[in-house]
Amino acid sequence: TNINKNLIGSAMSATIGGFNAHASNIVTAIFLATGQDPAQNVESSNCITLMEKTDEGDLWISCTMPSIEVGTVGGGTSLPAQAACLRAIGVQGGGPRDKPGANAQQLARVVAATTMAGELSLLAALAANTLVEAHMQHNRKTGPKK
């Protein structure tokens, strides 16, 4: 599933900047929740997701995201709901005086970790053939009235 969806599928669609299942969906959700500039999704969603079976039989997964652009001060980060999200994550504000940018670096790690969890979840649903079923079960729209 990883090779077919993330690598072959992305290459066939002429994807630029990512071989992943749906990194941009996760990045956009976090960006909106934390007051980031949603236009930076393009660069920030640059992601290569790889999965392999280890010699011990475990799953090894990595999401390489070299260009996550986030901030924890200014702009939308001061909006009440977005500031609350940053507080909940523990990264509101500029961070310690002796480590400027530390909060933004930690937020970038949160974005990458959350993206990796989302990638694992989607690929598991594809491998188990439950993606459509889950969408139908949790669909917010009702069918046409008869």
Side-chain angles (χ1 to χ4, degrees), residues 64-76:
T64 303
M65 300 181 76
S67 54
I68 300 172
E69 298 180 28
V70 293
T72 56
V73 295

Side-chain angles (χ1 to χ4, degrees), residues 27-93:
V27 171
T28 298
I30 296 172
F31 273 29
L32 294 174
T34 61
Q36 306 305 306
D37 181 352
Q40 299 307 316
N41 175 305
V42 175
E43 295 86 359
S44 297
S45 295
N46 183 357
C47 175
I48 298 175
T49 300
L50 298 174
M51 295 183 184
E52 297 177 10
K53 183 178 179 182
T54 67
D55 292 339
E56 295 78 27
D58 296 322
L59 175 66
W60 175 86
I61 178 172
S62 86
C63 283
T64 303
M65 300 181 76
S67 54
I68 300 172
E69 298 180 28
V70 293
T72 56
V73 295
T77 66
S78 62
L79 297 170
Q82 286 71 13
C85 286
L86 291 169
R87 264 193 313 280
I89 298 169
V91 296
Q92 185 183 28

